[in-house]
Amino acid sequence: MENVMANSFKLGSSNDALTLNVIRRQGPVSRVEISKMTGLTPPTVTNITTKLLELGLIAEDRIGESSGGRRPLLLKINSLLATVIIVYIRSERMIGYVIDPEFQIQLEDSRSIKGKKEDEILKMLLDIISDCRKGAGVPVLAVGVVVRGPVRRKDGIAVFVPNIGWRNTPLKGIIEEHIGLPAFIENDVKALSNGEYYYGSVKDAKSMILLKVSHGIGGGIIFNGSLYRGVNDSAGEVGHTTIDIAGPICSCGNYGCLEALASENALVDAVAKAIKEGQSSIIYDMVKGDLKELTPEVIYEAADAGDELAIRMLGQVARYLGIGIANLVNTFNPEILIIGGGIVRGRQYIEDIVRQIVEDRSFESSSNVLEISFLTTTTENTLKGAADIVFAEITESIWLGQR
C-alpha cells in the first residue's frame, strides 16, 4: 500500500495534497465544505475526491445534515491507510506511539531516560522506533520526534535539548540512516500549538499564541492559520525576551529573561531565596528543611493551604508573565492567547493578576479583542500536532513525489 500511495501521487498536484489534508484535518466533511475551505471550485473538488477515493486514500463516511438541498455525502481519511511513529521525549521518559491518520494510538512504548547518558538515550530512541515499526499493524510512513528546546527543522537538528544535553544533534540524519524512514524533528511547544489550533479549543481564529510555562517558557505562534516558524525555525522563543536587564541570570546566559522571572524554575528559585532570607513558610517543613527537595508542586500545595509566601511568589511570577504577554499582545495583536504547562496548576493565584497586567500594559485596541485561556492538558494535542505535521509533510513530499 505504501508504494501504491507514493507512485500514484507522483502524478498529483498541490491541490491533491491540499484537499487530502483538509479531509484529514476536518473530516468527516462534505465536498461543498472542502470547496469553501480550499477555495477550489466544486468541479475541481469532485475530480480530486473521486481520484482519492479510487486510490483508497479517503473513504465515504456517512450522509450529513441538509442545509436546504440534498443531504451531502461526508468524506474522511482512510484510517487503515498507514501510520506514523511519534516519539515524545519528556523530562524523564521517552514514549513511542504508532498513530493512524485519525490520531488513534495503535501502539505505545514507554521507557525511562532518568539517569541515562546522551548516547544511551540516542540508542534508546532508535530502539523504540524500530520496535514500534515492528509492532505496527499497517505500513509506517515516517517518524516524528518531539523534543524540548530549539530545533533546526529543515535540517532535522536538535540545537539544544536541555533535559538530555544534546547539542546540535543531527537526529533526522541518524534516524534515516539507521531506520530507513523519513524523519522530522519538532519542538514540543510548536507541536502543541499546531495540535491545539487544529484539534483543540481554538475555533475559526486566524491568529493564536500559545505559551507553555513549565520549567522553562516556550511559545508557538499561528498566523493566517499556519504555524509561524521564522527564517531559521527560531520563532517562538519568547522565554528569552528581556523583561528586566537587572534581573537574574537565565539558562541562556543573558540576564532578566522572561523564563528567568516567570517560569516554574523561577518560582522555585524565588521561594527558596525568600526562605533562606528568613521569611516564614510552611514550605520549609514540607520539604523537611531541605530546599533541594523544593518543587513547583510543593509550592502549589502550600498555596492551597493558605501559605502567604507561596501565594505572594505566585503573584510575583504572574506579574512578570503578564508583562511578557502584554509585550506579545502589542507586537502581534493575536485573537487568542493560551497559557499551558505546569503553571496552570496555580491558575487561581495568577489568572486575575495576569489579566490585569495585560490590560494595563497593552494597547486597548489589542487587549479588547484578545481572548486569554488556560490549557489544562497538553500531551494529547502535542501528539496530534506532531502527527499532523508529519502526515502533512508526507502528503506534500512522498505522495507528491517531491522527495
Side-chain angles (χ1 to χ4, degrees):
M1 183 178 290
E2 187 173 354
N3 290 334
V4 170
M5 289 187 297
N7 292 334
S8 298
F9 265 79
K10 287 179 182 178
L11 302 175
S13 69
S14 59
N15 288 339
D16 294 343
L18 176 63
T19 302
L20 187 59
N21 276 326
V22 166
I23 294 171
R24 181 175 56 78
R25 286 170 172 159
Q26 305 296 333
V29 62
S30 70
R31 290 175 173 85
V32 171
E33 291 171 320
I34 294 169
S35 179
K36 292 178 181 178
M37 293 175 189
T38 60
L40 300 174
T41 64
T44 298
V45 170
T46 297
N47 290 337
I48 292 174
T49 54
T50 298
K51 178 167 62 173
L52 298 180
L53 283 164
E54 291 173 351
L55 291 169
L57 300 177
I58 62 173
E60 295 176 345
D61 184 59
R62 64 178 187 271
I63 301 297
E65 297 297 323
S66 172
S67 58
R70 290 176 54 189
R71 296 176 66 188
L73 179 63
L74 304 184
L75 304 172
K76 69 173 187 175
I77 197 74
N78 180 0
S79 62
L80 300 177
L81 179 67
T83 57
V84 296
I85 295 171
I86 301 297
V87 182
Y88 188 6
I89 303 178
R90 310 192 67 173
S91 295
E92 297 183 349
R93 299 202 70 80
M94 179 185 297
I95 312 172
Y97 302 88
V98 177
I99 301 178
D100 70 24
E102 291 186 308
F103 304 117
Q104 297 300 307
I105 296 173
Q106 304 298 326
L107 185 151
E108 181 176 332
D109 185 341
S110 178
R111 308 183 191 185
S112 173
I113 61 173
K114 189 174 182 179
K116 301 288 185 183
K117 297 179 181 178
E118 297 172 25
D119 56 345
E120 292 175 323
I121 296 174
L122 185 56
K123 182 181 183 303
M124 185 184 294
L125 172 64
L126 296 174
D127 288 344
I128 282 184
I129 295 171
S130 179
D131 290 347
C132 283
R133 189 180 191 184
K134 291 175 184 176
V138 295
V140 175
L141 290 182
V143 177
V145 179
V146 179
V147 298
R148 294 181 174 177
V151 302
R152 291 214 304 273
R153 185 168 163 274
K154 293 177 182 176
D155 300 322
I157 294 174
V159 178
F160 176 52
V161 184
N163 57 312
I164 296 174
W166 286 343
R167 289 184 181 273
N168 296 315
T169 305
L171 291 180
K172 176 181 175 66
I174 293 171
I175 293 169
E176 292 184 347
E177 178 183 352
H178 286 81
I179 304 297
L181 288 173
F184 305 91
I185 316 305
E186 188 57 270
N187 166 266
D188 63 334
V189 184
K190 287 185 173 64
L192 173 60
S193 300
N194 190 70
E196 187 63 24
Y197 182 76
Y198 283 113
Y199 308 105
S201 60
V202 180
K203 303 296 181 184
D204 302 320
K206 293 296 184 182
S207 60
M208 177 196 89
I209 295 177
L210 186 147
L211 287 184
K212 186 177 180 183
V213 185
S214 296
H215 297 293
I217 297 179
I221 304 168
I222 300 284
F223 276 139
N224 296 321
S226 298
L227 193 61
Y228 177 71
R229 296 182 177 278
V231 175
N232 200 29
D233 295 319
S234 295
E237 291 295 333
V238 297
H240 300 291
T241 54
T242 302
I243 300 298
D244 180 3
I245 59 172
I249 190 168
C250 181
S251 60
C252 70
N254 288 326
Y255 288 84
C257 292
L258 180 63
E259 184 171 298
L261 294 163
S263 66
E264 287 188 308
N265 280 352
L267 174 64
V268 168
D269 289 345
V271 169
K273 182 174 183 290
I275 292 175
K276 288 176 182 178
E277 291 175 346
Q279 296 190 42
S280 177
S281 170
I282 64 172
I283 291 173
Y284 187 78
D285 291 331
M286 291 173 71
V287 297
K288 298 179 180 179
D290 185 0
L291 292 177
K292 292 180 181 179
E293 297 299 316
L294 180 58
T295 64
E297 289 72 23
V298 171
I299 298 172
Y300 300 138
E301 288 178 18
D304 290 342
D307 185 75
E308 292 184 4
L309 176 63
I311 294 171
R312 187 167 68 253
M313 289 306 171
L314 279 162
Q316 176 178 293
V317 162
R319 284 188 287 277
Y320 285 124
L321 186 58
I323 292 170
I325 291 173
N327 290 340
L328 292 172
V329 171
N330 285 338
T331 303
F332 295 108
N333 188 203
E335 294 175 61
I336 299 173
L337 189 136
I338 299 174
I339 301 171
I343 199 69
V344 177
R345 169 68 173 78
R347 176 178 177 175
Q348 63 178 311
Y349 308 106
I350 70 171
E351 181 173 4
D352 290 345
I353 297 172
V354 167
R355 291 184 183 277
Q356 189 62 55
I357 293 292
V358 172
E359 181 180 337
D360 292 344
R361 290 180 173 268
S362 58
F363 286 119
E364 185 177 355
S365 58
S366 294
S367 61
N368 277 352
V369 297
L370 176 70
E371 176 186 338
I372 297 177
S373 63
F374 287 76
L375 184 63
T376 55
T377 59
T378 60
T379 299
E380 180 180 354
N381 280 342
T382 299
L383 293 179
K384 286 183 177 180
D388 176 84
I389 290 168
V390 174
F391 275 118
E393 290 279 359
I394 291 298
T395 300
E396 296 169 4
S397 56
I398 293 179
W399 292 351
L400 289 172
Q402 294 175 358
R403 281 183 63 84

